[in-house]
Amino acid sequence: MSKTYRGYTREQIAKTIDHSVLKPDFKTSDVEAGAAIALKYDVASYCIRPMDVPLAAKLLAGSNVPVCTVIGFPHGTTTSATKAFEAAEAVRNGATEIDMVINVSALLSGDYALVESDIRAVVEASHAAAREIGASASIKVIFETSLLNDELIVKACEFTEAAGADYVKTSTGFSSEGATVHNVRLMKATVGDRLKVKSSGGVRTLDQLCDFMDCGVTRSGSSNTEAILAEFDAKAE
């Protein structure tokens, strides 16, 4: 019988992690090392910068680990047309998961039509590019919850669903605060089982990851994959 920790198997833990290599000062060697980690632990996806998509796609070819990339990252304030182009290019280069940053400024300003149309532009461009090459694309929408109150988090969930995206996601990991249990629970309560939830930002330990899984996340971004799974190996029974 498989060992578990807090009711989760090692495979369940690994297949919740989007292993992330996103810092601007990372070199090609760091991207290659990250791909090796993603393959070794058979994680849910390998999340990298748009410039790294072709290399990641090559390194992960034939594996069960898809390529994920970030769009409008980390501020979300590029134009919708720019985000759509960036997303389509990423899909054509081999990404099948697109994590886009919401236009937080528009949301805070009450320009809700722009928020929704911005998401829809990325969703439609990603799907169109995927159809061109006979592939698929799923879209995660990053809220940057540290900048939002509960009311705006709920609205962001509603706009994400209306625009046809697949996931709501807490954070970029580049703002003042990452994922919290409160925000994850609020997002899950809002989207139910219609959309999936991803926690991201500051997920560094096994217990943190399990806390978010207990709240209903199916993905969690982390650059600490090796340490989390080493913790599992030490604690699982």
Side-chain angles (χ1 to χ4, degrees):
M1 189 172 179
S2 298
K3 290 185 176 182
T4 63
Y5 180 74
R6 289 177 55 174
Y8 299 109
T9 65
R10 193 177 196 275
E11 181 183 13
Q12 287 174 314
I13 295 293
K15 282 300 187 185
T16 300
I17 298 173
D18 287 347
H19 182 62
S20 304
V21 174
L22 295 169
K23 290 182 179 178
D25 57 335
F26 280 149
K27 304 181 293 295
T28 299
S29 58
D30 296 308
V31 178
E32 293 169 339
I37 290 170
L39 288 170
K40 177 180 178 180
Y41 295 103
D42 194 25
V43 295
S45 81
Y46 182 35
C47 189
I48 37 76
R49 304 166 302 193
M51 63 172 282
D52 302 316
V53 170
L55 174 60
K58 179 180 178 181
L59 294 171
L60 299 178
S63 76
N64 294 319
V65 180
V67 176
C68 172
T69 195
V70 289
I71 301 299
F73 196 84
H75 300 302
T77 51
T78 48
T79 66
S80 298
T82 300
K83 289 180 182 176
F85 178 90
E86 189 178 21
E89 182 182 45
V91 171
R92 294 187 188 104
N93 284 340
T96 59
E97 300 192 4
I98 299 295
D99 288 23
M100 68 160 289
V101 186
I102 203 168
N103 191 319
V104 183
S105 176
L107 183 60
L108 291 168
S109 301
D111 191 350
Y112 302 144
L114 175 56
V115 174
E116 185 176 325
S117 66
D118 187 64
I119 299 168
R120 183 175 288 108
V122 171
V123 170
E124 292 179 350
S126 300
H127 289 167
R131 285 193 298 271
E132 289 174 10
I133 59 174
S136 62
S138 63
I139 316 302
K140 310 185 194 94
V141 179
I142 308 171
F143 294 175
E144 206 66 282
T145 48
S146 62
L147 305 178
L148 308 176
N149 59 27
D150 286 4
E151 179 184 0
L152 289 177
I153 290 172
V154 169
K155 285 186 180 296
C157 287
E158 293 169 348
F159 300 141
T160 298
E161 183 172 2
D166 303 285
Y167 287 78
V168 291
K169 176 179 171 182
T170 59
S171 322
T172 62
F174 285 77
S175 190
S176 57
E177 182 183 60
T180 67
V181 166
H182 170 80
N183 289 337
V184 167
R185 284 176 174 163
L186 177 61
M187 292 161 71
K188 179 62 177 174
T190 304
V191 302
D193 293 327
R194 300 182 303 280
L195 274 66
K196 298 175 183 179
V197 181
K198 176 176 174 178
S199 53
S200 188
V203 184
R204 299 186 180 92
T205 70
L206 177 61
D207 279 307
Q208 283 178 307
L209 179 56
C210 289
D211 286 346
F212 293 130
M213 293 174 74
D214 287 347
C215 295
V217 307
T218 56
R219 293 292 185 90
S220 195
S222 182
S223 58
N224 219 30
T225 301
E226 287 188 295
I228 289 172
L229 290 169
E231 266 196 273
F232 180 92
D233 292 339
K235 294 179 177 179
E237 297 180 351

